[in-house]
Amino acid sequence: MEQVRLLLAIVLSFLVFLVWQFFFTEKKTDQPVEPTKKVEQPKEAPVKKTVIVPEKKLDIEKRLIDEKETAEEDDHKSRFIRVNTPLYSVVVSEKGAAFKSFTLQNYRKEIDKNSELFEMISPDVNSGTVLSGFEQNSIRGLEDRVFTVDSKYDVIGVEAQKREVVFIYQSKDGILVEKKYVFYADSYVIGMMVSIKNGSNAPIKDNIFLSLMNITSDDKRMYGFEGPSAMIGDKIEEVKPKKVKEKNIFSGDLKWVAIQDRYFISSIIPKEPVEATMKLDIDENGVLMNRYVSNEMVIQPGNEKLFEYELYF
């Protein structure tokens, strides 16, 4: 009997425990599983880039045009045209349409009759003389550009009549420059015409110049004036080479500009004297420049302007 009571007590205790669990104990809910957090990699510091400031569009275009023109002209070998007259022999280069040599037929370097003929242009003047250009660079470096000569002959003889030789240059934007020389058999005077035809889309507003170049003498035994000179109005201006740096600009009614030595002279004479400027310079090698600069001109698109001079060598 005691065993039955013990078994009954155990069963009742178990039932009480189950009831307690069911009604009084909080049910344990499933906790949501946290998603795996993505571990972010540390960001790399931004790389500083060197910023290159571009050139202005117009500057780039101008530089490319200049480089292209220079490259093309390097491929165009300059011709040398020799013009022989009874009085002189002159060599004109297509580069700048400049005089590279001017030899007098009736004068010699020395008294000896077998001495070489007298050369008026020093070989130390690499550019030659009678250079033309624009003071404000409407055509940049025109004096170094390669022109095209209209003659198929490299040697031209002038025996009994005048001969014309024409050199032409056209820029990429359509500006046409024509330098015409007229040589005479019986005169040291040489006719010269410079024509500017504006085939571009913009007006040309500039000053045209002509430059004489030659070396100065270092012979201290020489007497008399040597150097650049001009006739301005009724006054002759003579500037000693050592004084060029002190005063090198002269303006007024220019009748001619020149470079002279004791016996000889090379000069530019405008057909009609007008208000103009003479500019002088001398470099460290003693090469002297005497530049005739016209007053500012304006040539509208489609128009042309002619400048007439005489050269006297």
Side-chain angles (χ1 to χ4, degrees), residues 40-157:
E40 295 184 0
Q41 297 294 329
K43 294 182 179 180
E44 295 182 1
V47 178
K48 292 183 179 180
K49 295 182 179 181
T50 302
V51 178
I52 301 175
V53 180
E55 296 180 63
K56 292 180 182 178
K57 185 178 178 181
L58 290 177
D59 291 342
I60 293 175
E61 291 175 349
K62 183 172 179 58
R63 176 171 53 79
L64 291 176
I65 289 173
D66 288 341
E67 290 175 353
K68 185 177 180 181
E69 287 181 347
T70 302
E72 289 177 353
E73 289 177 4
D74 286 342
D75 293 335
H76 180 183
K77 186 177 179 181
S78 301
R79 287 175 60 199
F80 294 89
I81 307 301
R82 179 179 291 276
V83 179
N84 293 323
T85 81
L87 299 177
Y88 60 83
S89 177
V90 57
V91 176
V92 190
S93 171
E94 282 188 318
K95 185 175 181 180
F99 286 11
K100 297 292 287 185
S101 170
F102 197 95
T103 307
L104 299 174
Q105 304 283 32
N106 299 320
Y107 296 87
R108 299 187 180 274
K109 290 180 65 176
E110 307 291 343
I111 296 176
D112 186 350
K113 65 179 181 179
N114 296 319
S115 174
E116 296 178 5
L117 292 174
F118 185 78
E119 166 63 77
M120 288 192 63
I121 302 172
S122 170
D124 294 327
V125 183
N126 296 323
S127 62
T129 190
V130 193
L131 302 170
S132 56
F134 290 98
E135 191 80 349
Q136 301 174 46
N137 286 325
S138 289
I139 298 179
R140 186 178 177 184
L142 178 62
E143 58 269 41
D144 293 321
R145 299 299 185 188
V146 176
F147 287 65
T148 300
V149 68
D150 67 344
S151 174
K152 62 181 180 180
Y153 301 106
D154 292 337
V155 179
I156 299 172

Side-chain angles (χ1 to χ4, degrees), residues 13 153 174 177 208 241 247 250-251 293 310:
S13 298
Y153 301 106
V177 180
I208 190 171
K247 186 177 181 181
F250 300 81
S251 297
V293 184
E310 289 180 338

Side-chain angles (χ1 to χ4, degrees), residues 129-294:
T129 190
V130 193
L131 302 170
S132 56
F134 290 98
E135 191 80 349
Q136 301 174 46
N137 286 325
S138 289
I139 298 179
R140 186 178 177 184
L142 178 62
E143 58 269 41
D144 293 321
R145 299 299 185 188
V146 176
F147 287 65
T148 300
V149 68
D150 67 344
S151 174
K152 62 181 180 180
Y153 301 106
D154 292 337
V155 179
I156 299 172
V158 184
E159 296 297 335
Q161 58 185 354
K162 68 180 183 181
R163 289 291 300 270
E164 295 181 354
V165 182
V166 180
F167 295 81
I168 296 174
Y169 175 81
Q170 184 168 7
S171 70
K172 296 300 179 182
D173 52 3
I175 301 175
L176 187 73
V177 180
E178 179 182 286
K179 291 178 73 173
K180 179 190 291 185
Y181 295 109
V182 184
F183 303 97
Y184 301 92
D186 59 351
S187 176
Y188 290 104
V189 173
I190 300 168
M192 180 181 182
M193 281 76 80
V194 180
S195 171
I196 312 294
K197 299 177 183 178
N198 187 4
S200 71
N201 297 321
I204 299 172
K205 189 176 182 180
D206 213 325
N207 312 68
I208 190 171
F209 68 76
L210 290 179
S211 296
L212 292 171
M213 311 287 290
N214 216 342
I215 202 80
T216 55
S217 174
D218 57 359
D219 189 349
K220 305 303 181 184
R221 300 170 300 170
M222 301 292 284
Y223 293 95
F225 175 75
E226 290 191 342
S229 60
M231 189 168 188
I232 305 176
D234 295 325
K235 182 182 178 182
I236 293 180
E237 294 282 354
E238 295 180 337
V239 183
K240 293 181 179 180
K242 63 181 180 181
K243 298 289 186 180
V244 164
K245 296 296 184 181
E246 297 177 13
K247 186 177 181 181
N248 59 1
I249 297 179
F250 300 81
S251 297
D253 185 21
L254 248 65
K255 296 182 178 178
W256 51 261
V257 298
I259 294 178
Q260 62 187 87
D261 61 24
R262 187 179 183 186
Y263 299 109
F264 301 98
I265 187 170
S266 57
S267 55
I268 296 170
I269 309 162
K271 267 293 187 70
E272 295 183 5
V274 293
E275 286 289 319
T277 300
M278 176 176 72
K279 290 188 176 182
L280 309 176
D281 194 18
I282 187 168
D283 67 16
E284 64 277 5
N285 298 316
V287 177
L288 178 67
M289 179 198 77
N290 189 347
R291 175 172 289 180
Y292 176 94
V293 184
S294 72

